[in-house]
């Protein structure tokens, strides 16, 4: 575990309450990784991307295609984002 604190939108929160979200150019969130999971700590956008896409070739392609990573709080994820998958291509399949 870690005591790292981060600032999101002017508010300081523990990194362990955050997650890295991956966004497509169309405005959809397409992936999410916990910032802290056991001993694994993702403190930067680059670390989050490497964790999600271990192969550099994949990361380069994703960057070329306009994907980006944004740190969000889990509270915000649950309240605002979880159910919002916007375009047809990225809509969350019905469970
Ligand atoms: Zn989309």
């Amino acid at each position: 575990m870690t005591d790292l604190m981060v600032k999101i939108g002017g508010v300081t929160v523990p990194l362990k309450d955050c997650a890295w979200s991956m966004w497509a150019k169309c405005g959809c969130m397409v992936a999410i990784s916990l910032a802290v999971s056991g001993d694994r700590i993702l403190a930067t956008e680059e670390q989050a991307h490497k964790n999600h896409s271990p192969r550099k070739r994949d990361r380069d392609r994703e960057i070329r295609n306009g994907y980006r990573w944004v740190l969000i709080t889990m509270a915000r994820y649950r309240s605002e984002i979880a159910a919002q998958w916007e375009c047809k291509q990225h809509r969350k399949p019905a469970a």
Side-chain angles (χ1 to χ4, degrees), residues 4-85:
L4 269 180
M5 302 291 285
V6 289
K7 213 169 192 181
I8 299 179
V11 182
T12 302
V13 294
L15 184 65
K16 65 179 170 55
D17 291 347
C18 298
W20 286 96
S21 52
M22 185 190 199
W23 296 81
K25 248 191 317 198
C26 52
C28 299
M29 198 193 79
V30 294
I32 189 159
S33 304
L34 287 173
V36 179
S37 175
D39 290 336
R40 192 209 68 196
I41 296 168
L42 307 174
T44 66
E45 187 177 338
E46 196 184 358
Q47 287 168 357
H49 199 184
K50 270 186 184 159
N51 176 68
H52 180 266
S53 308
R55 292 191 306 181
K56 185 174 190 303
R57 197 176 54 195
D58 294 337
R59 292 198 300 277
D60 288 348
R61 192 191 59 234
E62 285 159 358
I63 288 167
R64 266 201 316 278
N65 288 335
Y67 287 93
R68 62 199 177 88
W69 288 85
V70 179
L71 190 65
I72 58 171
T73 62
M74 285 310 291
R76 181 172 165 229
Y77 171 72
R78 281 190 290 264
S79 67
E80 289 177 35
I81 300 171
Q84 312 240 1
W85 296 63

